[in-house]
Amino acid sequence: MTAAKPLRADAQRNREALLAKAREVFDAGDFFDLRFDDFARLAGVGTGTLYRHFPTREALAEAVYHEEVATLCDRARQLQATLPAEEALATFLHGMVGYMDAHQGLARTLATLMATGSGALAEGSRALEQAVTDLVAAAVKDGAVRDDVGAGAVMMALHGIGAAHDRPGWRAEADSVITLVLDGLRRSHQSASSASGSRKARHPAADVERNSGRAR
Amino acid sequence: MTAAKPLRADAQRNREALLAKAREVFDAGDFFDLRFDDFARLAGVGTGTLYRHFPTREALAEAVYHEEVATLCDRARQLQATLPAEEALATFLHGMVGYMDAHQGLARTLATLMATGSGALAEGSRALEQAVTDLVAAAVKDGAVRDDVGAGAVMMALHGIGAAHDRPGWRAEADSVITLVLDGLRRSHQSASSASGSRKARHPAADVERNSGRAR
DNA sequence: GAAAAATATGGAGGTAGTTTCCGTTTGTCA
DNA sequence: TGACAAACGGAAACTACCTCCATATTTTTC
């Protein structure tokens, strides 16, 4: 699945140069403020070369994203092998917040890309989600965590945290979200979540009708 | 603050036409797939007219967004006046999910706009956040909800839900997130959240270092 | 109710970012 | 070392965005 074509020496070199510059800009958060052409200029290659290696902005982003995700997944596996399931999950999630905090530009860029719906990050995201799924599954198996809430919900929360990077008290709020998720996740009181059935929305008036009196 | 200038009759008409078409496209989720010029064409006005009324894409979006937010805020106030605080909060949050479910294109569009960092939706977002803040504050005052987690965390979770609109099991997962947040929010077991201090990240290795062995 | 003044219109054309295309250069293999 | 393939780079075509102003419409004035 990895690199099927030998790729010529200079091509390899140019590709690296492009990636290096991209990562730099990516991390600085300037990814979208820059003309796509200029990546070429900055990396010291021609426009054509840039386009041959990375047909679109997203393709370039994807390549950078890949490495980051790999790092995070490794960490997840490592935690899972080292700590009790529940603790591993907690540590990983808080670690994610720390990671985003340390790489805000990157978080910003990724959030934008996701929202743009490019779909280029799909593979990487899937890998990350798998890691979270494993962590949650282990915790469920331990009986430390409820079994009626999938990892998808956790992913959504993480997504929200990443997307809101520019809020004033970001770090504190982000940690709060994780706290809420973890506390909510801990199997303890089935009774408390009385009305909040998780499957069907059987809440009174769960639907808000759009009612502004506009001529159509 | 509202409309200081009388605005000529035909201008008013064109403005409405533009808004109507925009809302339509907005809701269908095609907002970004369309050349900005074409809004004019579609609404039956000239390019210049479009630009005079709405200098940017974001300005147009903002105008549409405004109404939607107003609807939601009204609903929040109404719930708060009708139900016990905790229930009002729960109902509102589940209602938000229902709303997004019923207006997916809109949710998608908004998520994209937020991520793009346009800032045009700032005012509307602030209004919505205020509504949530009020709901949470009331619940805290009732003693039904912990006081060490601000409304900002809830906003982040909502943000995540909106941003992830395109996931396969969206509705179920979205409801799960709300469930987690609500359960996590309910004041009950201070002991359970042992290691998850919400302010300072004093988690072991909360920072993940970027380590891939790449030449730089 | 007609002329003057103010306001708004629409689309042709300028501007800028993106992408393709192809003659030239560089690397690889025998 | 020669021949072939792979890759380069930047000029030029394309596309979307936005401005500008001669013309048209509405409102005000007398």
Side-chain angles (χ1 to χ4, degrees):
Chain A
M1 204 181 187
T2 39
K5 323 154 196 180
L7 206 58
R8 223 171 70 175
D10 55 345
Q12 181 68 27
R13 192 150 15 90
N14 280 337
R15 192 189 155 80
E16 294 292 355
L18 247 358
L19 266 177
K21 184 53 71 178
R23 189 172 314 120
E24 187 181 312
V25 174
F26 211 86
D27 214 348
D30 300 337
F31 191 68
F32 296 97
D33 306 340
L34 213 57
R35 293 182 44 176
F36 195 41
D37 288 16
D38 291 347
F39 279 107
R41 192 68 114 330
L42 286 174
V45 306
T47 333
T49 303
L50 167 59
Y51 276 91
R52 193 161 333 98
H53 284 295
F54 306 102
T56 70
R57 225 191 192 85
E58 283 73 30
L60 181 52
E62 213 270 333
V64 175
Y65 183 42
H66 236 37
E67 293 178 16
E68 307 296 329
V69 166
T71 303
L72 291 168
C73 287
D74 281 354
R75 179 173 164 74
R77 265 187 296 279
Q78 181 187 323
L79 287 173
Q80 190 153 15
T82 314
L83 299 171
E86 185 192 353
E87 207 174 325
L89 179 62
T91 306
F92 179 76
L93 292 181
H94 279 287
M96 280 294 292
V97 174
Y99 180 84
M100 293 186 203
D101 198 20
H103 304 279
Q104 295 193 31
L106 189 141
R108 175 162 125 63
T109 309
L110 289 180
T112 307
L113 277 171
M114 298 240 157
T116 307
S118 65
L121 306 97
E123 187 187 352
S125 298
R126 204 143 17 81
L128 230 173
E129 176 152 7
Q130 187 57 53
V132 173
T133 303
D134 291 348
L135 284 167
V136 171
V140 168
K141 201 171 171 190
D142 264 23
V145 154
R146 65 204 288 173
D147 63 354
D148 63 337
V149 169
V154 178
M155 287 304 287
M156 277 193 184
L158 281 177
H159 200 146
I161 290 173
H165 62 86
D166 52 355
R167 292 175 61 91
W170 186 86
R171 180 64 193 258
E173 287 180 350
D175 276 314
S176 290
V177 174
I178 299 297
T179 300
L180 287 185
V181 168
L182 287 173
D183 279 0
L185 222 38
R186 276 182 249 270
R187 163 193 266 350
S188 47
H189 43 75
Q190 293 94 326
S191 57
S193 51
S194 59
S196 321
S198 64
R199 286 296 110 113
K200 271 281 174 74
R202 41 186 176 357
H203 246 270
D207 215 31
V208 182
E209 208 38 57
R210 198 128 131 265
N211 66 356
S212 50
R214 286 241 160 248
R216 65 183 182 97
Chain B
M1 205 179 185
T2 39
K5 324 154 195 179
L7 206 59
R8 223 171 71 176
D10 55 347
Q12 181 68 26
R13 192 150 15 89
N14 280 337
R15 191 189 156 81
E16 294 294 355
L18 246 357
L19 265 178
K21 184 53 72 177
R23 189 172 313 119
E24 186 181 313
V25 174
F26 211 86
D27 215 346
D30 300 337
F31 191 67
F32 296 98
D33 306 340
L34 214 56
R35 293 181 44 176
F36 194 42
D37 287 15
D38 292 346
F39 279 106
R41 190 73 111 330
L42 286 174
V45 306
T47 332
T49 304
L50 167 59
Y51 277 91
R52 194 166 330 97
H53 285 294
F54 306 102
T56 71
R57 222 191 194 87
E58 284 72 30
L60 181 52
E62 214 269 334
V64 175
Y65 184 41
H66 237 36
E67 293 178 15
E68 307 296 330
V69 166
T71 304
L72 291 167
C73 287
D74 280 354
R75 179 172 164 75
R77 265 187 295 278
Q78 181 187 323
L79 287 172
Q80 190 154 15
T82 313
L83 299 171
E86 185 193 353
E87 207 175 324
L89 179 61
T91 306
F92 180 75
L93 292 182
H94 279 286
M96 279 295 291
V97 174
Y99 180 84
M100 293 186 203
D101 197 20
H103 305 280
Q104 295 192 31
L106 188 142
R108 176 162 124 64
T109 309
L110 290 180
T112 307
L113 277 171
M114 298 240 157
T116 307
S118 66
L121 306 96
E123 187 186 352
S125 298
R126 206 144 15 81
L128 230 172
E129 176 153 7
Q130 187 58 53
V132 173
T133 302
D134 290 349
L135 284 168
V136 172
V140 168
K141 201 170 170 188
D142 264 21
V145 155
R146 65 205 287 173
D147 63 354
D148 62 337
V149 170
V154 178
M155 287 305 287
M156 277 193 184
L158 281 177
H159 200 146
I161 290 173
H165 61 85
D166 51 356
R167 293 176 59 91
W170 187 85
R171 180 65 193 257
E173 288 181 349
D175 276 313
S176 290
V177 174
I178 299 298
T179 301
L180 286 185
V181 168
L182 287 173
D183 278 1
L185 222 38
R186 277 183 248 270
R187 165 193 264 350
S188 47
H189 43 77
Q190 292 95 325
S191 56
S193 50
S194 58
S196 321
S198 64
R199 286 295 110 113
K200 270 280 173 73
R202 40 183 175 4
H203 248 269
D207 216 31
V208 182
E209 207 39 56
R210 201 128 129 261
N211 66 356
S212 49
R214 286 243 159 244
R216 66 184 182 93

